[in-house]
């Protein structure tokens, strides 16, 4: 039995998890809070990289996960946009606390979509590169390949100190324009249920992951974070529909087909 736990804001990580899941016949599940007992023999974690570190939800989920299977094959794939090293070492540290370890890990370069700092560009070209990177990863996981995990170092820690979500109320910097029609998309796509949509206003609940799913998914382009996102193209992996992303982030699993 195989399971892949995934955290995804714009669909990049979900696309990767689905491709691996289909290849190994594994179920893809969202990383939601709760004490989960995992009995699977193959366990995967797929997630984006935030400031050379883990999204808080990923860290919380792995910390709370109970693994009762004997000698499982555990792998991690971290998607990223810019340059990064050592991210999977953070997962290894969490697993060691449980008496487990990563058998295999890989960083996979995807579309750079952190629009407070960058512009989304060359999505078609990068898509081809993603698929090329995926092939050896899938073959490695199918054959239970092992590899040494790259360490999470002081450099990761230094960069991670600047992660905006370290500020508890980082969602205070969101603004919602009068283009908003209260459709509820932002609330449904948020992986941690941080947004409540009411008739009069959008309310942020101050446990934001800074994943920016709400900004990228808003059909009216009504949500901004500070001034860095204004006028910039939004992004969603074209292989993942908005409906699928909303359902997945609300707790719906995806069954893999081997």
């Amino acid at each position: 039995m195989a399971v892949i736990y995934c955290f995804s804001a714009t669909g990049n990580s979900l696309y990767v998890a689905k491709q691996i899941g289909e290849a190994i016949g594994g179920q893809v599940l969202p990383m939601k809070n709760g004490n989960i007992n995992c009995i699977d023999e193959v366990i995967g974690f797929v997630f984006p990289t935030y400031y050379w570190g883990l999204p808080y939800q990923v860290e919380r989920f792995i910390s709370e996960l109970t693994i009762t299977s004997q000698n499982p094959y555990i792998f991690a794939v971290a998607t990223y946009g810019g340059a990064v090293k050592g991210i999977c070492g953070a997962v290894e540290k969490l697993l060691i606390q449980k008496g487990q370890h990563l058998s295999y890990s890989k960083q996979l370069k995807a579309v750079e979509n952190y629009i407070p700092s960058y512009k989304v560009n060359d999505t078609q070209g990068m898509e081809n590169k993603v698929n090329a990177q995926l092939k050896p990863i899938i073959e490695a996981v199918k054959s239970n390949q092992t590899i040494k995990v790259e360490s999470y170092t002081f450099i990761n820690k230094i960069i991670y100190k600047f992660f905006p979500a370290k500020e508890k109320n980082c969602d205070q910097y969101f603004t919602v324009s009068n283009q908003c029609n209260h459709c509820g998309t932002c609330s449904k796509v948020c992986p941690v249920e941080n947004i409540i949509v009411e008739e009069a206003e959008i309310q942020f609940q101050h446990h934001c992951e800074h994943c920016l799913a709400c900004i990228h998914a808003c059909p009216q382009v009504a949500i901004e974070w500070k001034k860095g996102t204004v006028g910039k193209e939004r992004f969603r992996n074209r292989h993942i529909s908005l409906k699928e992303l909303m359902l997945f982030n609300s707790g719906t699993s995806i069954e893999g087909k081997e």
Side-chain angles (χ1 to χ4, degrees), residues 11-30:
N12 280 335
S13 293
L14 182 54
Y15 173 70
V16 170
K18 283 182 63 178
Q19 297 307 301
I20 300 173
E22 289 176 4
I24 67 175
Q27 187 180 32
V28 181
L29 296 172

Side-chain angles (χ1 to χ4, degrees), residues 1-257:
M1 297 173 64
V3 63
I4 301 172
Y5 298 108
C6 177
F7 179 89
S8 189
T10 61
N12 280 335
S13 293
L14 182 54
Y15 173 70
V16 170
K18 283 182 63 178
Q19 297 307 301
I20 300 173
E22 289 176 4
I24 67 175
Q27 187 180 32
V28 181
L29 296 172
M31 293 187 185
K32 305 294 284 187
N33 288 338
N35 294 317
I36 297 174
N37 180 24
C38 182
I39 61 174
D40 293 88
E41 297 174 354
V42 177
I43 304 168
F45 302 107
V46 182
F47 52 87
T49 303
Y50 291 167
Y51 279 69
W52 284 48
L54 297 176
Y56 284 159
Q57 182 67 4
V58 174
E59 183 176 350
R60 284 192 296 266
F61 179 85
I62 297 176
S63 296
E64 295 174 357
L65 182 67
T66 300
I67 300 174
T68 55
S69 46
Q70 297 296 316
N71 300 315
Y73 178 81
I74 306 178
F75 68 92
V77 179
T79 61
Y80 69 98
V84 69
K85 283 189 174 183
I87 178 61
C88 291
V91 175
E92 176 75 341
K93 286 185 175 182
L94 294 172
L95 290 174
I96 287 174
Q97 296 173 13
K98 302 174 181 294
Q100 303 287 348
H101 69 92
L102 278 175
S103 305
Y104 175 86
S105 63
K106 202 71 175 179
Q107 297 166 178
L108 185 149
K109 185 170 178 58
V111 174
E112 193 169 57
N113 56 33
Y114 184 63
I115 59 174
S117 299
Y118 309 102
K119 291 182 178 180
V120 176
N121 53 33
D122 194 21
T123 56
Q124 184 64 54
M126 180 50 67
E127 180 183 302
N128 295 333
K129 293 178 182 179
V130 165
N131 291 330
Q133 294 172 84
L134 261 174
K135 288 181 180 180
I137 291 174
I138 289 173
E139 290 305 313
V141 172
K142 287 178 70 175
S143 61
N144 287 10
Q145 179 180 326
T146 60
I147 191 172
K148 183 179 179 180
V149 181
E150 191 174 42
S151 298
Y152 187 81
T153 70
F154 74 96
I155 297 176
N156 296 80
K157 294 177 182 178
I158 290 172
I159 296 174
Y160 196 59
K161 285 182 179 179
F162 295 95
F163 182 35
K166 280 190 169 293
E167 183 177 347
K168 183 178 180 181
N169 295 338
C170 73
D171 54 12
Q172 68 179 301
Y173 301 112
F174 283 115
T175 56
V176 182
S177 74
N178 56 14
Q179 293 289 99
C180 174
N181 61 3
H182 300 86
C183 67
T185 298
C186 56
S187 177
K188 294 172 185 175
V189 81
C190 178
V192 292
E193 300 173 3
N194 184 54
I195 304 173
I196 296 175
V197 178
E198 297 185 342
E199 288 187 12
E201 61 180 342
I202 308 297
Q203 296 183 357
F204 296 91
Q205 303 302 299
H206 307 315
H207 52 265
C208 177
E209 289 286 319
H210 196 62
C211 72
L212 307 184
C214 56
I215 290 180
H216 285 287
C218 176
Q220 305 300 317
V221 194
I223 306 175
E224 307 287 358
W225 194 79
K226 295 186 175 180
K227 296 181 179 180
T229 62
V230 176
K232 291 182 180 176
E233 179 185 355
R234 272 47 172 169
F235 171 80
R236 187 183 70 253
N237 187 293
R238 72 184 186 92
H239 297 287
I240 304 297
S241 70
L242 180 56
K243 180 179 180 181
E244 181 178 19
L245 189 59
M246 290 192 296
L247 287 172
F248 184 76
N249 281 345
S250 69
T252 302
S253 65
I254 296 173
E255 299 291 337
K257 297 179 181 179

